[in-house]
Amino acid sequence: MPTAQDPAAALQHSLLSRLKLRQLSLLQAVDRHRSLVRVAAEMQLSQPAITKALHEVEDIFGSQLFDRTSRGLVPTPAGEAALHCARRWLAELEATTRVLTSLEAGRSGRLRLGLTQQVPQQLMAAALTHLLDRTPRISVMAREGTTDELVAGLLAREIDCAIGRSYDGEASGLVQQAIYEQEPCLVVGAKNVKRLSRGPLDWARLAQLDWILPPPNTPMRRTYNAIFVGAGVQPPMPILETTSLRSIEMVLRHEPNAVTIFARDVMVEMERSSQWAALPYRLNWSLPPVSFFTLKEVEAHPTVQSLRRVVVETALRMKQAAAQ
C-alpha cells in the first residue's frame, strides 16, 4: 500500500534539491519590474526564456507565484511567501560577501548598525567609537531611519542591530531592551519663542500652529496623535511630515508658526548650532524610550553583545548625570 507523504516535507525536499540562488534572483527581478519584458531586458535573455524559468520556479514551489493581470505580474499569497524567502536568502548572501570582503581587507568582521535621528549624540558617539576603536578593526555600516524602518531592516537581515524608539508592533524574533528615557519639549524657531510662549500650555491653541510631525504610521506619530486626543483636541494636519533634521531646521527657521516635538537633550545638543529653541513648557508625558534592538539569532554574537553593553552603560551614566 502506498504511504501518505507529508506535503511540507515534500515541498522542503523540492526546495533543497532543486532551488538555486539565480532563481531567487529571478523572483526579485519579477517583483521589481512586474513585467517579463523588462526582466528579460535586465537579465539579457529572451522573454520565452524568462517565462520558462519562472514556470520552473513555480513548479519547484508547487504553487502559482504571480497572477497575470492588466497591471502586470502581481504576487499571489504563495508568491509573497516565496519573495520573503528570496529577500532573506539574498540579503544573507550579500551580508556574507561584505563580511568576507572586510576580512580580506584585514578587518575582523563587519557590523551593520541602524540609528534613529533623535538618538542622543553621546549615545551615538559611544556606539560608533566602541566599534571603530576595536583592535583588530571591524568594518561598520551605519544607517539612519525611523524605528519602523530599522525594525524592517532587521527582519530583512539588512542590519544587525539598531538604536531607536521602543517598537509596539508584531515582529517575530525581535529582541528589544529599553535603555534610556527622554523628556519631550516643544521646539520652534528661536526668534519665535517669546511670541509663541505667551500664556499657559494650551493644546487647542498649539494645534492651530504649523506642525512638523514624523510620517504617518510611525511610533512617534502615533504617540503625538495620542497626546492631542488625550487633551481633547483633534490631531493637527502637519505642514511637513519628515524625520530629516535639515528639513525640520529649515522650516523652523522660515515659518513663523512652525512647531515640532523633540527630545529635550537632543534639542539642547543641537541648539547651539541651530536657529531653534524650546518653548518654556514642561510636558507631563515621556517619549517612547530609546531602545537597543537585535534579533534572537544574532544577540549572542560577541560584537553585538559588547556593543549592547557599551550602549547600556553609557545610557546609565547619562541617567546618573541628569539626576545630579
Side-chain angles (χ1 to χ4, degrees), residues 301-319:
H301 191 284
T303 303
V304 173
Q305 283 189 329
S306 66
L307 176 61
R308 175 163 52 190
R309 183 170 57 253
V310 166
V311 170
V312 170
E313 291 172 352
T314 302
L316 180 59
R317 288 195 296 271
M318 291 169 63
K319 290 179 189 176

Side-chain angles (χ1 to χ4, degrees), residues 31-72:
D31 184 49
R32 185 166 57 251
H33 294 295
R34 303 295 173 96
S35 162
L36 295 184
V37 173
R38 289 196 289 270
V39 172
E42 177 186 309
M43 303 185 77
Q44 298 183 336
L45 294 169
S46 67
Q47 184 178 340
I50 293 296
T51 301
K52 180 182 178 182
L54 180 57
H55 284 317
E56 290 174 352
V57 178
E58 290 182 319
D59 182 63
I60 293 170
F61 278 93
S63 299
Q64 181 176 327
L65 302 182
F66 294 89
D67 285 326
R68 282 69 173 170
T69 74
S70 59
R71 295 177 289 109

Side-chain angles (χ1 to χ4, degrees), residues 8 21 54 58 107-108 180 183 229 278 288 291 313:
L21 287 175
L54 180 57
E58 290 182 319
R107 306 292 170 84
S108 63
Y180 187 67
E183 177 191 355
V229 172
S291 302
E313 291 172 352

Side-chain angles (χ1 to χ4, degrees), residues 25 28 35 61 65 117 121 127 131 151 174 236 259 289:
S25 181
Q28 276 203 323
S35 162
F61 278 93
L65 302 182
Q117 289 201 328
Q121 189 72 27
L131 292 172
V151 169
L174 182 71
V259 61

Side-chain angles (χ1 to χ4, degrees), residues 181-225:
E181 297 280 353
Q182 288 179 304
E183 177 191 355
C185 64
L186 297 165
V187 179
V188 299
K191 62 185 178 182
N192 304 315
V193 169
K194 185 176 180 180
R195 176 174 56 85
L196 296 178
S197 60
R198 293 173 185 150
L201 178 63
D202 182 347
W203 285 100
R205 178 175 64 88
L206 288 172
Q208 302 306 311
L209 298 180
D210 295 327
W211 278 86
I212 305 168
L213 294 173
N217 300 317
T218 58
M220 295 310 303
R221 181 66 173 273
R222 292 191 289 269
T223 296
Y224 298 158
N225 285 347

Side-chain angles (χ1 to χ4, degrees), residues 86-97 112 156-157 297:
R87 295 186 193 105
R88 178 169 176 173
W89 285 15
L90 293 173
E92 294 281 10
L93 180 64
E94 192 273 341
T96 300
T97 61
R112 301 165 299 171
R157 276 60 179 180
E297 63 196 59

